Amino acid sequence: MSDGATGSKIPDAFLSVRPEWLALQAEETVLEPDLPIVDPHHHLMDMRGHQYMLPDFLADVATGHRLVASLFVECRVFYRPWGPDDRKSLGETEFVNGVAAMSASGLYGPTRACAGIIGNVDLRFGDRVRGALEAHVAAAGGRFRGIRNVAAWHKDGLRATSANPPEGLLRDREFRKGFAALAPLGLTFDAWLLHTQLSDLIDLAHAFPDTTIICDHIGGPATFGPYAGRRDEVFADWSRSMRELARCPNVNVKLGGMGMHVLGFDFPHRPRPPSSAQLAEAWKPYVELCLDAFGAGRAMFESNFPVDKGTCSWLVLWNAFKRLASGSSADEKQALFHGNACRIYGLDLAAQGIVI
């Protein structure tokens, strides 16, 4: 497997974005420029030295590719500093809905940023969860599509996320009591975890077959820390678990997050940024496994920006994805780049004035 893996452990939750390094990227032409894209996973943030707001996102989008809409995914920003604990995360949904309204005005270009919102309600609130979810739905003006509770945890304390989840979150009794409130409200659940925890997600999917689950970032095959230098071993373990997960019809997978340090690629440590061809070569085994297991009908490409921007530019990222999908049919490409995101999250683009 060609990867250029590194054994160095990067302590931060994600790699810093270095504009001066990204500027060294060799020029690339946008591949398939007319292919519509709905990015189902990006963040906006202003925290801990990482700032990425609507102008930053739109500046990336303007470099190439036809992004028609996007979904914001929670990253614990702009929480209310007051009120009950189960309502503090409403601040994030209110903030993002305001950004979505700005974008929907058309004053910032044709892309409808944050057309869908994946927020955060801590499901361990149990009996209080339904009321909290209903408050998010009311605050989002029809844009609230689901929630994410980050579960990525490892006994060695690996920093795969800026969150600090507890051990065994997906099996927690109170968590599952709150989880039961999602399906009746038509809401989805995004899961971000490491490959060592996929059995927990499989158990959760079996326990709640009527709840739509999305496995973020190809299921987090960790190749850093104690897993550095063990890529083939991790790939084999991850592959078995992902194939078992794919047998749960209510589970879908996001193809992305591969620019994070979790996968242990050394691209960010090279003198120049990688080309889309280099990324596609390194990422191909992971994407091919996911597509073989889940099929083109339950997978979708995601930017995970600005997190993955520590490895490559927006233009190069989506060029890499298009290279990875080059063997797919026209219908499969439509599904992977926008159709599945809309269907799985129940995103009605026409109702928001978006024409593909």
Side-chain angles (χ1 to χ4, degrees), residues 127-200:
D127 292 334
R128 289 186 283 167
V129 165
R130 184 179 179 105
L133 291 171
E134 290 173 338
H136 281 265
V137 171
R143 298 185 175 97
F144 200 75
R145 311 314 313 148
I147 70 157
R148 181 174 77 160
N149 280 185
V150 171
W153 177 92
H154 193 276
K155 62 183 177 61
D156 292 329
L158 301 185
R159 294 292 292 160
T161 169
S162 57
N164 188 29
E167 178 182 3
L169 175 66
L170 301 185
R171 293 181 182 269
D172 181 87
R173 180 179 298 180
E174 287 302 307
F175 171 90
R176 292 197 171 193
K177 185 184 295 184
F179 194 94
L182 293 172
L185 294 174
L187 298 175
T188 63
F189 179 77
D190 266 60
W192 170 213
L193 71 177
L194 298 178
H195 76 280
T196 52
Q197 302 172 282
L198 285 170
S199 61
D200 292 351

Side-chain angles (χ1 to χ4, degrees), residues 30 115 139 144 192 267 321 344:
V30 176
F144 200 75
W192 170 213
F267 294 119
F321 290 158
I344 291 167

Side-chain angles (χ1 to χ4, degrees), residues 54-312:
L54 179 62
D56 304 299
F57 179 64
L58 294 179
D60 282 330
V61 171
T63 62
H65 301 289
R66 188 189 168 201
L67 184 74
V68 296
S70 73
L71 287 98
F72 167 90
V73 176
E74 65 88 26
C75 53
R76 300 166 306 284
V77 295
F78 298 104
Y79 277 23
R80 293 175 176 177
W82 50 270
D85 286 345
D86 61 338
R87 301 303 169 97
K88 289 181 177 179
S89 63
L90 269 171
E92 182 174 57
T93 293
E94 292 166 335
F95 154 69
V96 179
N97 192 51
V99 170
M102 291 170 61
S103 181
S105 72
L107 292 176
Y108 300 89
T111 296
R112 295 296 183 263
C114 308
I117 300 172
I118 311 303
N120 187 359
V121 171
D122 189 338
L123 297 182
R124 291 175 296 174
F125 285 123
D127 292 334
R128 289 186 283 167
V129 165
R130 184 179 179 105
L133 291 171
E134 290 173 338
H136 281 265
V137 171
R143 298 185 175 97
F144 200 75
R145 311 314 313 148
I147 70 157
R148 181 174 77 160
N149 280 185
V150 171
W153 177 92
H154 193 276
K155 62 183 177 61
D156 292 329
L158 301 185
R159 294 292 292 160
T161 169
S162 57
N164 188 29
E167 178 182 3
L169 175 66
L170 301 185
R171 293 181 182 269
D172 181 87
R173 180 179 298 180
E174 287 302 307
F175 171 90
R176 292 197 171 193
K177 185 184 295 184
F179 194 94
L182 293 172
L185 294 174
L187 298 175
T188 63
F189 179 77
D190 266 60
W192 170 213
L193 71 177
L194 298 178
H195 76 280
T196 52
Q197 302 172 282
L198 285 170
S199 61
D200 292 351
L201 186 59
I202 292 166
D203 187 80
L204 182 69
H206 283 306
F208 295 91
D210 295 329
T211 303
T212 297
I213 296 173
I214 301 93
C215 181
D216 291 353
H217 314 328
I218 64 168
T223 318
F224 72 117
Y227 299 101
R230 299 165 59 188
R231 183 172 296 277
D232 290 343
E233 176 189 341
V234 169
F235 187 87
D237 291 343
W238 167 81
S239 298
R240 285 191 291 269
S241 294
M242 289 298 282
R243 288 193 182 280
E244 184 178 354
L245 180 64
R247 287 195 281 273
C248 302
N250 57 322
V251 180
N252 310 273
V253 64
K254 285 181 178 175
L255 308 175
M258 294 172 283
M260 294 189 291
H261 72 284
V262 174
L263 267 70
F265 293 112
D266 75 344
F267 294 119
H269 306 289
R270 297 182 183 182
R272 299 175 66 90
S275 67
S276 60
Q278 289 174 314
L279 292 175
E281 179 186 8
W283 297 347
K284 184 177 180 180
Y286 298 92
V287 172
E288 283 190 340
L289 184 283
C290 287
L291 289 177
D292 185 58
F294 288 86
R298 289 194 289 145
M300 49 187 146
F301 287 109
E302 53 154 335
S303 77
N304 193 36
F305 259 43
V307 185
D308 280 29
K309 195 176 179 180
T311 288
C312 63

Side-chain angles (χ1 to χ4, degrees), residues 14-90:
F14 55 86
L15 300 168
S16 296
V17 176
R18 296 170 292 157
E20 69 286 353
W21 181 74
L22 289 173
L24 300 175
Q25 172 68 58
E27 185 175 346
E28 290 194 21
T29 301
V30 176
L31 302 177
E32 300 182 73
D34 296 327
L35 178 64
I37 296 171
V38 173
D39 181 5
H41 196 114
H42 75 86
H43 309 288
L44 300 174
M45 60 184 68
D46 188 359
M47 60 179 184
R48 294 186 289 278
H50 299 287
Q51 185 177 73
Y52 192 75
M53 302 292 274
L54 179 62
D56 304 299
F57 179 64
L58 294 179
D60 282 330
V61 171
T63 62
H65 301 289
R66 188 189 168 201
L67 184 74
V68 296
S70 73
L71 287 98
F72 167 90
V73 176
E74 65 88 26
C75 53
R76 300 166 306 284
V77 295
F78 298 104
Y79 277 23
R80 293 175 176 177
W82 50 270
D85 286 345
D86 61 338
R87 301 303 169 97
K88 289 181 177 179
S89 63
L90 269 171

